[in-house]
Amino acid sequence: MNKIIFATIVLMGLHSSAANKSTYKRAPDIKIGGQGGWDYITIDEDGERLFMSHAEKVDVVDLNTHKIIGMIPDTKGVHGIAIADDLKKGFTSNGQDNSVTVFELKTLTPISKISVGKNPDAILYVKDVAKVFVFNGKSNSMSVIDAKTLTVSAPIELPGKPEFSVYDPQLKAVFVNIEDRNLLVKIDAKSNKVLSQYPLKGCESPSGLAINKAKSELFSVCENNVMVMTSGRDGKILSTVHIGSGPDGVVFDANRNLAISANGEGTLTVAQVEKNSMKVISTVPSEVGARTIALNTKTQRLYLPTAQLEPLKKGEHRPRPVAGTYKLLVFEQE
């Protein structure tokens, strides 16, 4: 994921003339505890559960009670979680042992472990083709798992280091940010072939990615404090806005046409999307380190993992979390 240096955290003079507008308010946190870092979180809306990557395991939270109800063990260096509700399975990308854990969705019991490329990071289930797309950060490749038979393809070469990914059901295409080449890559979901490479001009090190499925509009958050809106049809850049520093996640709220970036500096940037354009309407305080995000489309709540952080030491790119302080921030619509 993005290398973020939390050196000076400035929450004054935030990045919008409309910064005093509020679109979300802070709700009570969900305390998790434990040790180690984190990355992506995933919501299973049908099961009303949230899955959180957490060092060498995945914590599972009941979204009604906000209590931990289980965990998936032996997911060393876990980055992401993909949910296949129709197949009653889940999948985790385990970055430190180059594998994907397959688990039974109801009981959380591991079923199988599948070898993939080096440092699997983003992971995406596509129901239309019953495949799991696994993006291998250190081998610049993609592995594709048949979600029914659990067979896996040989790694498929990509033009650089892949980051977050989304699926466009209209175009039948998977999109993935390529972090070290400032690209957005379009992949045919049926053939697994790379169809196009779209330059993300003005975007450095794109990480988080979201999609407006109704219009095939894609939202990439970038290390140089911008969010870029791109057409999935032809790769045309439609709009760019300034966001907070240290972004690593973004979601699109289709109910209100909002693109919301999670910025590790300790803010959310909320942009209104209309007529092929974006406009920042508010900057909402969160907490330092809250750089990834998930949206529950049924309740419109936002969830962001973070923890208290130790002072950054010489040679470190990211500060260490303080043991026992891991939690989920929760935001509701105002």
Side-chain angles (χ1 to χ4, degrees), residues 62-297:
D62 185 302
L63 288 175
N64 293 311
T65 65
H66 285 184
K67 302 293 185 183
I68 295 178
I69 56 172
M71 55 89 72
I72 303 161
D74 190 25
T75 58
K76 192 174 182 180
V78 59
H79 286 288
I81 306 98
I83 304 298
D85 283 305
D86 58 320
L87 301 178
K88 298 180 173 55
K89 296 174 185 174
F91 304 82
T92 71
S93 55
N94 310 322
Q96 292 180 15
D97 67 2
N98 305 328
S99 72
V100 167
T101 295
V102 188
F103 62 92
E104 203 280 325
L105 193 56
K106 183 177 181 180
T107 65
L108 308 178
T109 304
I111 299 170
S112 177
K113 186 171 276 195
I114 300 170
S115 295
V116 290
K118 294 180 181 178
N119 188 30
D121 192 340
I123 186 167
L124 176 71
Y125 173 64
V126 177
K127 183 178 179 180
D128 287 354
V129 290
K131 294 177 182 178
V132 178
F133 292 82
V134 185
F135 295 93
N136 306 307
K138 288 187 178 178
S139 54
N140 295 353
S141 68
M142 170 182 71
S143 300
V144 182
I145 298 170
D146 184 312
K148 294 181 179 179
T149 65
L150 302 184
T151 55
V152 63
S153 72
I156 299 162
E157 185 177 355
L158 293 172
K161 181 180 183 296
E163 262 289 344
F164 203 74
S165 61
V166 295
Y167 175 63
D168 185 327
Q170 292 197 73
L171 302 180
K172 307 298 182 186
V174 171
F175 290 87
V176 60
N177 281 330
I178 302 298
E179 183 178 32
D180 57 348
R181 295 282 307 281
N182 303 342
L183 294 173
L184 180 64
V185 166
K186 184 178 183 179
I187 300 163
D188 183 271
K190 185 175 181 181
S191 69
N192 305 335
K193 293 181 179 179
V194 173
L195 299 174
S196 303
Q197 300 181 31
Y198 298 141
L200 291 173
K201 294 181 181 179
C203 169
E204 298 175 7
S205 299
S207 53
L209 183 65
I211 183 170
N212 176 3
K213 294 179 181 179
K215 295 185 177 181
S216 298
E217 296 167 341
L218 296 135
F219 305 87
S220 300
V221 292
C222 315
E223 196 172 63
N224 58 325
N225 300 12
V226 299
M227 177 162 56
V228 176
M229 176 181 172
T230 309
S231 169
R233 298 187 182 279
D234 58 12
K236 180 181 178 181
I237 293 179
L238 303 173
S239 184
T240 300
V241 295
H242 190 83
I243 61 176
S245 65
D248 205 15
V250 58
V251 293
F252 181 75
D253 180 349
N255 283 345
R256 297 196 292 173
N257 288 324
L258 299 176
I260 307 147
S261 72
N263 312 315
E265 67 171 18
T267 62
L268 298 170
T269 302
V270 183
Q272 188 74 56
V273 181
E274 55 185 14
K275 297 181 180 179
N276 295 328
S277 185
M278 294 186 292
K279 179 182 179 182
V280 173
I281 60 170
S282 70
T283 303
V284 181
S286 60
E287 287 191 19
V288 175
R291 66 186 189 273
T292 56
I293 185 170
L295 167 68
N296 185 337
T297 63

Side-chain angles (χ1 to χ4, degrees), residues 310-324:
E310 296 178 358
L312 193 66
K313 298 178 181 178
K314 185 177 180 180
E316 290 183 337
H317 296 293
R318 184 178 293 165
R320 299 173 184 271
V322 176

